[in-house]
């Protein structure tokens, strides 16, 4: 049987397994083992344990549970509420100021947690009821939170960038820096659409004479400032070459736990247990996906499927931007069905040699992949943020949430176009702060 036929069979079976509702890690592992045995015999089972172990035998992976613990400590505290209130007091005079405040809070909370669902839930629990109470349209209240939550996987520290860096052997420090300006660009596009929409509707959340005093504004800062200082500190030691990603993540996690306990008086064993439980659950899930994705990649390579695909694309001799458009369409469709971690770990090792041969920067491509994953988080049928918002506002019809999210999907697609036209938005900061990188990045 030719590698092309084998690849087609593997593709169909993998899609069926992932859409069956089975956990991504178990689906990938089962498909890899079945096809290794089917095409290479029972003797191939001898490499399964070794391959799984080699996939997890990387000290950089320590940063994943540490950054997750950092997000769990902040997510379990009222930090999201305080961020939301602080920004609301400073931005309430802007048209649609409350929605803009929520988007700003999402961006800052994303920098604290690196998690999209955590950002969506933490800000949405406060923001959606408050926006609806003040009369904002339900579609803008829910759609803005869906979109704002996706910033959690783009603005560093980002678990998605860590996974991409591990899968493609790209510098995680460079990827983190590459996500800063695109994250700000996307946040600005979200805010611009919101301000325009609210201005167009002629809506005001406050009476014209309403004002927060300067004392009220500054009183909201002290509780959130220490967390933001920690994020800046973690980024500084990471980009300054003072610490590795794992070391920076460990110190950041410890400091966030200490601050959550001291500022918000989270002394009870139940609060500690919640932080440790969430950290363990998320970490084990992601690490299992990493291990089985490495096994899946080994299966594709050993059956010569990966090499055949790369050769077929190279032989097509299409314009490199046509190639990039095809890859983007593939990532967008895949993101609608498969979680970001699974897509990145499965496809990045396959796509990397293709995009580097076409002359694209792997760091820039990491940002492109991540924005595609963001779109998948707010598009059906498996849009994770849609489920989070539905849980927060169950009385809002799913159709309304989707209608509110569509303009923000448009903003993400516009960001992709801008990044293709001006790739320096992603590459300038890492090249400036860390110096130009070699071909391997």
């Amino acid at each position: 049987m030719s590698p092309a036929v084998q690849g087609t069979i593997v593709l169909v079976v993998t899609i069926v397994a992932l859409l069956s509702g089975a956990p991504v890690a178990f689906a990938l592992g089962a498909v890899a083992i079945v096809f290794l045995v089917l095409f290479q015999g029972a003797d191939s089972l001898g490499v399964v344990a070794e391959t799984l172990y080699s996939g997890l035998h990387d000290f950089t992976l320590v940063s994943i549970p540490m950054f997750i613990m950092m997000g769990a400590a902040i997510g379990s505290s009222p930090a999201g509420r305080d961020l939301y209130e602080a920004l609301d007091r400073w931005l309430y005079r802007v048209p649609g100021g409350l929605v803009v405040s929520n988007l700003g809070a999402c961006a800052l909370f994303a920098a604290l947690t690196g998690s999209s669902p955590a950002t969506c839930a933490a800000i949405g629990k406060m923001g959606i009821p408050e926006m609806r109470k003040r009369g904002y349209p339900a579609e803008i209240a829910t759609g803005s939170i869906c979109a704002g939550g996706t910033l959690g996987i783009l603005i560093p520290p980002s678990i998605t960038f860590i996974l991409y860096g591990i899968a493609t052997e790209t510098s995680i420090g460079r990827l983190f820096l590459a996500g800063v300006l695109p994250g700000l660009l996307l946040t600005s596009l979200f805010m611009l659409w919101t301000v325009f929409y609210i201005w167009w509707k002629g809506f005001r959340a406050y009476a014209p004479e309403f004002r927060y005093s300067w004392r009220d504004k500054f009183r909201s800062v002290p509780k959130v400032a220490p967390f933001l200082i920690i994020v800046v500190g973690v980024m500084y030691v990471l980009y300054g070459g003072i610490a590795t990603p794992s070391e920076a993540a460990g110190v950041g996690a410890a400091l966030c736990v200490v601050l959550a306990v001291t500022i918000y008086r989270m002394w009870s064993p139940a609060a500690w247990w919640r932080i440790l439980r969430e950290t363990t659950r998320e970490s084990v899930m992601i690490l299992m996906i990493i291990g089985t994705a490495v096994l899946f990649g080994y299966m594709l390579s050993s059956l010569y499927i990966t090499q055949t695909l790369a050769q077929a694309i190279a032989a097509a001799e299409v314009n490199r931007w046509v190639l990039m458009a095809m890859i983007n369409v593939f990532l967008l469709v895949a993101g609608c069905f498969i979680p970001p971690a699974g897509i990145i770990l499965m496809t990045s090792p396959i796509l990397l040699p293709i995009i580097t041969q076409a002359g694209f920067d792997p760091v820039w491509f990491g940002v492109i992949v991540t924005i595609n994953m963001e779109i998948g988080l707010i598009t059906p049928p498996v849009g994770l943020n849609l489920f989070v918002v539905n849980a927060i506002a169950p009385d809002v019809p799913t159709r309304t949430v989707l209608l509110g999210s569509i303009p923000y999907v448009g903003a993400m697609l516009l960001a992709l176009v801008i990044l293709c036209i001006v790739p320096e938005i992603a590459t300038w900061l890492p090249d400036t702060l860390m110096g130009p990188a070699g071909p391997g990045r």
Side-chain angles (χ1 to χ4, degrees):
M1 190 180 293
S2 69
V5 176
Q6 289 179 340
T8 303
I9 296 172
V10 169
L11 175 63
V12 172
V13 174
T14 303
I15 291 173
V16 171
L18 291 172
L19 295 181
S20 68
V24 173
F26 296 141
L28 289 180
V31 170
I33 292 172
V34 166
F35 280 102
L36 280 173
V37 172
L38 186 63
F39 291 115
Q40 295 189 346
D43 291 344
S44 62
L45 290 174
V47 303
V48 170
E50 182 182 348
T51 305
L52 279 170
Y53 176 78
S54 65
L56 297 173
H57 186 60
D58 185 345
F59 188 71
T60 308
L61 292 175
V62 175
S63 62
I64 292 178
M66 291 298 98
F67 277 125
I68 289 174
M69 177 176 278
M70 187 175 170
I74 298 168
S76 300
S77 73
R81 178 198 66 198
D82 290 338
L83 269 174
Y84 156 77
E85 289 180 351
L87 286 168
D88 179 36
R89 293 184 183 188
W90 285 91
L91 299 174
Y92 74 103
R93 303 292 292 179
V94 178
L98 189 58
V99 187
V100 172
S101 300
N102 278 286
L103 290 169
C106 284
L108 293 174
F109 201 80
L112 291 168
T113 65
S115 168
S116 177
T119 301
C120 193
I123 306 302
K125 284 176 184 176
M126 282 294 298
I128 291 176
E130 190 66 21
M131 284 187 282
R132 297 184 68 200
K133 186 172 73 176
R134 297 186 191 177
Y136 280 93
E139 64 269 17
I140 200 75
T142 54
S144 61
I145 294 295
C146 279
T150 65
L151 297 170
I153 63 171
L154 179 62
I155 297 177
S158 163
I159 303 298
T160 302
F161 279 145
I162 295 174
L163 296 177
Y164 176 85
I166 292 170
T168 61
E169 298 183 356
T170 305
S171 166
I172 293 173
R174 286 187 173 277
L175 289 167
F176 278 6
L177 282 173
V180 173
L181 293 181
L184 294 176
L185 168 67
L186 203 50
T187 305
S188 301
L189 290 174
F190 289 168
M191 289 180 172
L192 284 172
W193 160 252
T194 299
V195 171
F196 169 77
Y197 182 84
I198 297 299
W199 169 81
W200 179 45
K201 292 290 185 180
F203 179 80
R204 295 189 67 92
Y206 289 98
E209 66 275 6
F210 180 87
R211 290 185 181 276
Y212 277 115
S213 68
W214 285 103
R215 183 177 181 181
D216 291 332
K217 292 179 180 179
F218 282 107
R219 189 184 293 167
S220 63
V221 173
K223 279 190 176 182
V224 298
F227 292 105
L228 299 179
I229 291 171
I230 287 178
V231 172
V232 173
V234 167
M235 296 298 107
Y236 173 75
V237 299
L238 183 60
Y239 304 143
I242 300 171
T244 64
S246 301
E247 293 165 345
V251 174
L255 291 177
C256 281
V257 170
V258 169
L259 280 180
V261 169
T262 54
I263 292 177
Y264 295 107
R265 307 294 179 185
M266 296 170 59
W267 305 107
S268 69
W272 280 87
W273 174 250
R274 186 165 60 250
I275 293 172
L276 294 174
R277 183 186 61 199
E278 289 182 12
T279 301
T280 303
R281 184 177 59 197
E282 292 272 338
S283 301
V284 169
M285 177 191 71
I286 291 176
L287 292 173
M288 282 291 292
I289 293 175
I290 291 173
T292 53
V294 170
L295 179 62
F296 187 82
Y298 170 82
M299 179 270 294
L300 293 177
S301 179
S302 65
L303 298 182
Y304 210 69
I305 294 172
T306 305
Q307 298 90 325
T308 302
L309 176 63
Q311 289 172 2
I313 294 176
E317 296 183 353
V318 296
N319 179 279
R320 71 183 197 133
W321 289 109
V322 175
L323 174 64
M324 182 54 61
M326 293 165 58
I327 292 174
N328 273 280
V329 171
F330 164 72
L331 291 172
L332 284 170
V333 174
C336 293
F337 298 94
I338 307 172
I343 297 174
I344 288 171
L345 292 168
M346 281 192 302
T347 64
S348 295
I350 300 173
L351 295 175
L352 182 68
I354 296 171
I355 63 107
T356 52
Q357 186 178 349
F360 292 109
D361 188 315
V363 173
W364 170 85
F365 184 64
V367 176
I368 296 296
V369 170
T370 301
I371 295 178
N372 277 288
M373 298 303 96
E374 287 188 285
I375 295 174
L377 288 169
I378 58 173
T379 50
V382 194
L384 184 58
N385 283 13
L386 298 175
F387 295 120
V388 174
V389 167
N390 273 333
I392 296 170
D395 58 317
V396 179
T398 303
R399 181 176 178 274
T400 301
V401 179
L402 284 172
L403 286 174
S405 302
I406 288 172
Y408 295 102
V409 172
M412 293 180 192
L413 294 173
L414 176 60
L416 286 174
V417 173
I418 293 173
L419 282 167
C420 288
I421 296 172
V422 191
E424 291 79 11
I425 295 174
T427 59
W428 175 79
L429 196 57
D431 285 349
T432 300
L433 297 184
M434 301 180 71
R441 287 281 163 180

